[in-house]
Amino acid sequence: AEACDALHPLLDSRDGDTRRATAFALAAAGGEHLKKALPVLEEALLDGDPSVQALAAAGLAGVGKEADAAAPALARALE
């Protein structure tokens, strides 16, 4: 959990590669680690980089029903 918490600020990086790698790492963490990252992944859905958005969506899909609150952000990302 601490490692995932340490990654959250990297989603705000100006570097697209850093944002993509961070979103991927949070998505890959799965389980309880991913659940704690829900707010960060939800914010990443609104990132200007479609790759970051896709990885965040994939991570949220892995959470299941607990990610339902992110549905509005996902809808905005798909607009």
Side-chain angles (χ1 to χ4, degrees):
E2 282 184 40
C4 287
D5 291 342
L7 289 176
H8 295 182
L10 296 176
L11 283 171
D12 293 327
S13 172
R14 291 184 181 183
D15 181 64
D17 289 335
T18 299
R19 290 194 313 272
R20 281 188 291 279
T22 302
F24 178 77
L26 289 171
E32 293 299 316
H33 300 290
L34 180 54
K35 290 176 187 174
K36 288 187 176 187
L38 283 175
V40 177
L41 290 172
E42 186 174 344
E43 287 178 22
L45 288 172
L46 304 177
D47 191 278
D49 186 327
S51 297
V52 174
Q53 292 174 332
L55 289 169
L60 288 167
V63 175
K65 201 161 182 64
E66 293 180 29
D68 285 354
L74 180 58
R76 284 192 302 275
L78 293 173
E79 291 178 348

